[in-house]
Amino acid sequence: MLTQLSQLVQEFGADAVVKNEAIPNEKNEAVLKETSNSIFSSLQKIASQADLSQIAGILQGKDIDKKNPVIQEITNQVSSSLTEKLGINSATATSTATAMIPQILGSLIAKANDPKDNSLNISEILNSLTGGDSPENADIME
């Protein structure tokens, strides 16, 4: 899942990061890599702490916008990480994360739900987030 996530961050990061004058060009790759890692770790954290139904709602493509509390939490985590680890200005980090996160997750979910695309599926995402450790939640997507 992390590979697909990284590819989507690269794709959607072109406008939000690479073309963003507030982010120095020499930090573009680091910002994109940190964004991927931070999204993944945020999803893992939410999956381990919260009711998986929150994650399931997102994985089913429901409510992938910046008002969703899960999306907000991921956005906050990514922007904090960019600020703390890479020294990106807080306002720039927040606007960059806000622009990318719904697009990235929306595309990831569309890919996972596409029967013609077998590179990723919902079960793989859940297993990836929970370490394959969620038999009690196996029916969460039904």
Side-chain angles (χ1 to χ4, degrees), residues 12-20 23 27-28 31-32 96 100:
F12 291 108
D15 286 330
V17 176
V18 177
K19 293 180 182 175
N20 189 337
I23 297 175
K27 290 191 177 185
N28 286 347
V31 167
L32 294 171
T96 301
M100 286 195 307

Side-chain angles (χ1 to χ4, degrees), residues 6 8 13 23 28 42 56-57 78 82 88 90 92 94 105 109 112 126 133:
S6 294
L8 293 171
I23 297 175
N28 286 347
S42 295
V78 170
L82 294 177
I88 303 297
S90 180
T92 299
T94 299
L105 291 177
I109 301 320
L126 283 173
D133 213 15

